[in-house]
């Protein structure tokens, strides 16, 4: 017989005092730290504890006693259920303050290296409709809110298109309107949903691995182009014809779509980096423009999702690199070569390294598109490629720009960077905590000279940070 779950008492009249990690806020009750989602500092609330540890607990609001004066009205009808924009109830100025503090706390508390005064965080020009890419899951298991469950409401179908719910990997919260991207994506997504429901499509069951409609990716660009990729899971004869009927309908309804693609995904997950992508209509790519440069973006390409703010991020990296035209620059984790090509005209030579072969091919195309002939790109695992022989072949770098994934840089990569002995390192990071860890490994040889936080994702707790390091001797 299962043990009965312990019921915790309601905590009454608790004042939320500060912003915490992962988009939560915190309060203190006696000696206990309490983490609470979807509240802001100054709120006075009654709380129900959901999880309790030795020194902290996690709770949720059961009643607002008093709303904080430091509060914004969320624009999204899905706020509080969808976990995407956890800070929509926090004024943007306060979001920036919290992110600035987050960068300062993580770099100072984790790295313990000598730090200069931080530059003020660069806020995003757009706080809504700023993304150029969204992905939506399709599932036969619709997520029901507690209110819907309590009401006993019934649904004609449990099929849904929307976002995955944290802690329920096989369930999808149906999204009617998302504010993160131009509104055309809402119309496209809802049209896919309506057509699929009207025509008896099966939606994917992640546990059973059955169902035709699996995933939808939508991208747009500052050139006005739109890409839509639909993932299907073909099981029976005629499934491809059924899928193509949907794609034909989309093409007719939305002439704005310049790249209409599909994938037959038989894997256990929704990643398609190793699968062939089929073109149904238009091109297999769209273009982004930055300054006078053109960048080809394919369905598997990485491109910063906040187009306008990406320019400012890369401009900071270029300023920190301080190039005069005579330098050899290494761009590590180069992706589709955006930074490499962005700085190439101010460098003697740029060498880009990236794990994904398709991204490297895009990087080469992007150089050709822009008449850039001083870039060289290599595909492979960074810790395996970047070694002493590689540096001997490509030349000792004067400047290294590195933009690693959230996990930061491998220890072998850091050791090779130190042996390469560049004058400057420009470290772009989407995770200041792992950036701080890497600064420790670089500290004997490099001094932190500048720190510039950049907000790429308004209404979320995520923040990018650019650090300039200069050789100590």
């Amino acid at each position: 017989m299962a043990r009965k779950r312990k019921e915790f008492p309601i905590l009454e009249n608790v004042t939320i005092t500060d912003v915490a990690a992962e988009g939560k806020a915190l309060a203190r009750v006696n000696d206990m730290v309490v983490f609470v989602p979807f509240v802001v500092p100054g709120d006075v609330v009654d709380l129900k504890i959901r999880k309790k540890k030795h020194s902290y607990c996690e709770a949720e609001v059961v009643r607002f006693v008093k709303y904080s004066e430091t509060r914004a009205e969320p624009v999204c009808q899905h706020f509080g259920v969808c976990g995407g924009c956890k800070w929509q109830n926090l004024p943007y100025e306060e979001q920036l303050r919290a992110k600035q503090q987050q960068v300062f706390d993580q770099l100072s508390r984790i790295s313990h290296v000598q730090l200069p005064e931080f530059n003020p965080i660069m806020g995003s020009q757009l706080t809504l409709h700023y993304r150029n890419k969204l992905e939506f899951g399709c599932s036969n298991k619709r997520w029901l809110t507690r209110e819907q469950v309590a009401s006993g409401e019934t649904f004609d179908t449990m099929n849904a298109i929307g976002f995955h719910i944290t802690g329920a990997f096989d369930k999808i919260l149906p999204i009617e309107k998302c504010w993160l991207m131009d509104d055309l994506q809402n119309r496209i997504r809802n049209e896919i949903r309506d057509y699929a429901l009207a025509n008896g499509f099966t939606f994917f069951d992640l546990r059973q691995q059955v169902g035709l409609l699996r995933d939808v990716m939508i991208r747009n660009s500052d050139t006005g182009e739109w890409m839509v990729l639909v993932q299907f899971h073909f099981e029976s004869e005629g499934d491809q014809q059924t899928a193509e009927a949907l794609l034909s309908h989309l093409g007719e309804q939305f002439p704005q779509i310049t790249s209409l693609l599909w994938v037959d995904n038989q894997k256990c997950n929704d990643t398609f980096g190793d699968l062939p992508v089929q073109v149904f209509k238009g091109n297999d790519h769209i273009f982004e423009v930055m300054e006078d440069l053109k960048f080809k973006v394919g369905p598997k390409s990485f491109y910063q999702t906040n187009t306008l703010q990406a320019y400012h991020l890369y401009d900071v990296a270029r300023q920190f690199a301080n190039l005069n035209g005579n330098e050899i620059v290494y761009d590590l984790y180069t992706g589709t070569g955006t930074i490499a090509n962005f700085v190439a005209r101010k460098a003697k030579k740029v060498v880009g390294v990236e794990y994904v072969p398709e991204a490297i091919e895009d990087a080469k195309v992007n150089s050709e598109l822009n008449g850039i002939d001083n870039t060289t790109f290599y595909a492979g695992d960074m810790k395996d490629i970047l070694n002493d022989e590689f540096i001997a072949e490509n030349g000792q770098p004067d400047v290294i720009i590195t933009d690693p994934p959230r996990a930061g840089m491998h220890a072998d990569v850091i050791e090779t960077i130190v042996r390469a002995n560049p004058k400057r390192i420009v470290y772009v990071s989407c995770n200041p905590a792992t950036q701080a860890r890497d600064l420790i490994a670089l500290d004997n040889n490099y001094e932190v000279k500048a720190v510039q936080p950049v907000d790429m994702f308004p209404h979320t707790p995520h923040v990018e940070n650019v650090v300039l390091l200069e050789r100590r001797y």
Side-chain angles (χ1 to χ4, degrees):
M1 185 175 177
R3 294 173 59 186
K4 188 174 181 181
R5 191 171 181 176
K6 181 179 179 180
E7 285 292 324
F8 296 105
I10 299 293
L11 303 177
E12 297 182 331
N13 292 310
V14 176
T15 300
I16 304 299
T17 58
D18 207 348
V19 172
E22 299 177 358
K24 297 176 183 175
L26 66 82
R28 295 183 184 275
V29 179
N30 299 324
D31 294 327
M32 180 71 69
V33 174
V34 185
F35 294 102
V36 190
F38 305 118
V39 291
V40 301
D43 283 339
V44 181
V45 293
D46 292 346
L47 297 173
K48 175 74 172 178
I49 296 176
R50 293 296 176 186
K51 184 187 296 184
K52 188 172 184 180
K53 299 293 185 180
H54 177 68
S55 58
Y56 74 92
C57 63
E58 297 181 17
E60 62 183 27
V61 175
V62 293
R63 184 173 75 98
F64 279 91
V65 178
K66 178 185 176 184
Y67 286 107
S68 170
E69 294 181 2
T70 307
R71 170 175 276 275
E73 187 65 31
V75 299
C76 183
Q77 69 194 74
H78 305 293
F79 177 79
V81 183
C82 170
C85 300
K86 294 178 180 177
W87 279 358
Q88 270 196 17
N89 57 355
L90 191 65
Y92 189 55
E93 297 75 18
E94 293 299 313
Q95 295 180 31
L96 293 178
R97 185 198 65 78
K99 293 183 184 191
Q100 179 89 10
Q101 189 65 41
Q102 175 189 335
V103 173
F104 177 81
D105 289 345
Q106 291 179 326
L107 262 60
S108 59
R109 293 176 183 176
I110 297 173
S111 73
H112 299 292
V113 304
Q114 185 174 352
L115 297 168
E117 184 176 349
F118 289 20
N119 294 326
I121 188 170
M122 297 178 68
S124 178
Q125 290 177 261
L126 298 176
T127 59
L128 298 173
H129 304 146
Y130 62 84
R131 287 186 66 101
N132 57 38
K133 177 185 175 184
L134 285 175
E135 292 186 65
F136 301 98
C138 308
S139 174
N140 66 344
K141 290 183 172 62
R142 171 188 181 132
W143 175 262
L144 300 180
T145 65
R146 285 184 178 152
E147 291 77 14
Q148 288 172 327
V149 172
S151 71
E153 182 181 359
T154 58
F155 297 88
D156 295 333
T157 177
M158 293 298 287
N159 292 332
I161 300 180
F163 294 131
H164 286 275
I165 287 289
T166 303
F169 76 97
D170 62 333
K171 289 186 170 60
I172 291 291
L173 174 70
I175 297 296
E176 186 65 33
K177 182 179 178 66
C178 176
W179 291 79
L180 287 174
M181 192 175 177
D182 184 284
D183 191 60
L184 183 61
Q185 54 85 18
N186 288 311
R187 292 163 50 202
I188 292 172
R189 182 195 63 253
N190 291 342
E191 188 65 29
I192 293 173
R193 175 200 65 197
D194 294 346
Y195 181 95
L197 292 174
N199 289 274
F201 277 52
T202 54
F203 285 50
F204 197 64
D205 186 314
L206 198 54
R207 291 183 184 272
Q208 300 299 321
Q209 294 287 299
V210 295
L212 177 60
L213 192 59
R214 180 161 188 164
D215 191 84
V216 177
M217 181 186 78
I218 304 177
R219 302 183 89 143
N220 70 350
S221 72
D222 54 7
T223 60
E225 297 172 284
W226 284 79
M227 173 186 290
V228 176
L229 182 145
V230 184
Q231 287 193 49
F232 298 101
H233 179 263
F234 297 156
E235 301 168 9
S236 308
E237 186 177 347
D239 277 355
Q240 183 170 335
Q241 289 76 14
T242 302
E244 289 178 347
L246 166 61
L247 296 172
S248 179
H249 176 75
L250 282 180
E252 292 170 1
Q253 292 294 310
F254 300 101
Q256 302 96 323
I257 300 174
T258 57
S259 175
L260 186 53
L261 315 171
W262 63 270
V263 170
D264 175 22
N265 186 349
Q266 299 292 322
K267 301 194 307 177
C268 294
N269 60 65
D270 292 331
T271 60
F272 62 92
D274 56 345
L275 298 176
V277 175
Q278 309 297 329
V279 178
F280 182 81
K281 175 193 172 186
N283 303 313
D284 64 354
H285 61 272
I286 57 179
F287 287 106
E288 289 278 7
V289 174
M290 189 176 290
E291 285 189 339
D292 59 342
L293 300 176
K294 223 176 167 183
F295 294 98
K296 177 186 175 184
V297 180
K300 300 177 184 179
S301 300
F302 170 78
Y303 194 87
Q304 288 283 357
T305 51
N306 186 335
T307 302
L308 286 174
Q309 196 69 342
Y311 168 74
H312 296 292
L313 179 72
Y314 296 154
D315 191 46
V316 169
R318 186 171 59 186
Q319 289 178 42
F320 281 7
N322 192 24
L323 305 174
N324 60 29
N326 297 314
E327 295 90 351
I328 295 176
V329 179
Y330 282 15
D331 180 27
L332 309 184
Y333 312 93
T334 189
T336 55
T338 314
I339 292 180
N341 286 296
F342 192 66
V343 304
R345 290 174 179 171
K346 294 196 173 186
K348 176 182 177 182
K349 175 184 177 182
V350 181
V351 179
V353 185
E354 167 62 41
Y355 180 75
V356 181
E358 291 89 352
I360 286 299
E361 292 308 309
D362 282 346
K364 294 175 181 177
V365 169
N366 288 330
S367 288
E368 293 172 9
L369 276 172
N370 294 287
I372 296 171
D373 59 7
N374 62 335
T375 57
T376 308
F377 295 101
Y378 296 87
D381 193 314
M382 190 70 62
K383 65 179 174 56
D384 298 329
I385 283 188
L386 189 70
N387 53 36
D388 296 340
E389 292 76 15
F390 181 90
I391 291 169
E393 179 183 342
N394 288 279
Q396 181 180 1
D398 300 290
V399 176
I400 287 181
I401 301 173
T402 181
D403 187 3
R406 290 190 64 79
M409 295 191 291
H410 192 279
D412 292 350
V413 175
I414 296 176
E415 288 179 10
T416 305
I417 289 174
V418 170
R419 287 200 303 275
N421 200 30
K423 297 174 185 175
R424 289 182 294 282
I425 300 170
V426 180
Y427 191 150
V428 183
S429 174
C430 60
N431 186 350
T434 55
Q435 184 182 48
R437 178 206 65 198
D438 292 345
L439 294 182
I440 298 172
L442 292 164
D443 187 52
N444 284 339
N445 303 86
Y446 288 88
E447 180 182 0
V448 176
K449 286 292 190 178
V451 179
Q452 178 63 69
V454 180
D455 183 26
M456 301 290 289
F457 305 105
H459 307 305
T460 79
H462 302 296
V463 60
E464 297 263 340
N465 190 49
V466 189
V467 169
L468 168 63
L469 301 106
E470 291 186 354
R471 195 168 60 200
R472 289 187 183 276
Y473 51 87

